[in-house]
Amino acid sequence: LSPRFHTLFAPQEYALLKRNKRRLHLQYLMAAPLAGDYDYFRLTAGPARLRTGEWGEAAAGRALVAAGFKLLGRRVRAGRRGEIDLLMRDGEVLVFVEVKTRADEAHGRPVESVGRDKRLQLSKAAVAYLKRLRSPPRYFRFDVVEVVGRVDGPPPRIQHIQNAFQLEGRLRPPL
C-alpha cells in the first residue's frame, strides 16, 4: 500500500487493510473511532456512488454517536451476502442500521428504497450475526437513517427512523 494510502486510515484500520490488500473496503472495523473529517474514511479509488455511500454512512454514524448510541461496527459482513451498514447499541438494545444516501428527494425519500427484498436481506444478515454471538442480546431492532445531501455541498439533512421494520419472513433469532 502506498504511503499516501496510509495517511487516510487510523492505525488499526491500516493493519486490517494491509492484511487484506485485495479487498479495499472497510469491513469488521469493530469499535473504530468516527473521525470528524470525511477523508478519514475515503478510499483512493472506486465509483463515485460508493464514495457517496461511505460519506453518508460516516455522517449517519457521527449523528447516531452524538445522539448517545455506541458504535460497534461499520460494514459488518454477516451471512453469505449480507452486510450491515452500521451496528450500534442503544442502551441494552442492539441496533442494525441501514443507511440510505441520496443527493436530493426528487425520486422519493431514501427510506422508500428499503423494500421487501432489502428488508429480507437485512433480516438474514442480522440473524446470521446473532448466531455468531455467544450470548445474543435479548432485544434488537432495525433502524434506517436517511442522509440527503452531497459530499461537496452543505451539511446533509439526516433523519433517523427507529424501528423502521420488523424481522422479515419466517426467520427467528437464536434464543
Side-chain angles (χ1 to χ4, degrees):
L1 297 172
S2 71
R4 179 173 177 259
F5 192 80
H6 174 67
T7 62
L8 297 176
F9 294 93
Q12 69 270 22
E13 292 174 349
Y14 178 67
L16 174 87
L17 290 170
K18 192 173 180 182
R19 285 194 307 269
N20 301 318
K21 289 181 183 178
R22 292 185 187 160
R23 292 193 309 231
L24 294 180
H25 44 82
L26 305 176
Q27 291 183 356
Y28 299 113
L29 298 180
M30 303 305 287
L34 284 171
D37 187 16
Y38 165 66
D39 284 343
Y40 180 82
F41 298 95
R42 187 171 61 88
L43 295 176
T44 56
R49 64 182 174 80
L50 292 180
R51 288 194 307 267
T52 300
E54 291 170 4
W55 169 79
E57 289 172 11
R62 284 192 300 273
L64 291 175
V65 168
F69 286 69
K70 182 179 179 189
L71 176 67
L72 301 177
R74 294 188 309 265
R75 294 190 161 196
V76 177
R77 302 286 295 174
R80 291 176 60 192
R81 294 175 32 197
E83 181 180 273
I84 301 161
D85 289 343
L86 296 172
L87 188 61
M88 310 289 281
R89 183 170 294 282
D90 182 17
E92 295 298 316
V93 180
L94 183 65
V95 184
F96 300 98
V97 181
E98 175 66 15
V99 179
K100 289 296 178 186
T101 305
R102 299 286 183 270
D104 54 42
E105 292 183 341
H107 299 289
R109 292 185 55 199
V111 72
E112 293 171 3
S113 66
V114 182
R116 182 180 178 277
D117 291 340
K118 184 64 174 177
R119 290 191 309 262
L120 183 61
Q121 182 182 13
L122 291 169
S123 295
K124 287 180 180 179
V127 169
Y129 178 80
L130 291 169
K131 285 181 180 178
R132 289 192 319 202
L133 300 177
R134 280 189 203 155
S135 57
R138 190 168 184 182
Y139 303 107
F140 65 92
R141 70 174 191 245
F142 296 93
D143 292 1
V144 175
V145 176
E146 297 179 323
V147 180
V148 179
R150 298 182 190 277
V151 174
D152 55 353
R157 183 180 61 79
I158 300 172
Q159 184 170 353
H160 177 211
I161 302 164
Q162 289 188 2
N163 211 11
F165 60 91
Q166 300 297 318
L167 196 62
E168 284 288 320
R170 297 182 186 173
L171 298 173
R172 296 288 171 242
L175 299 175

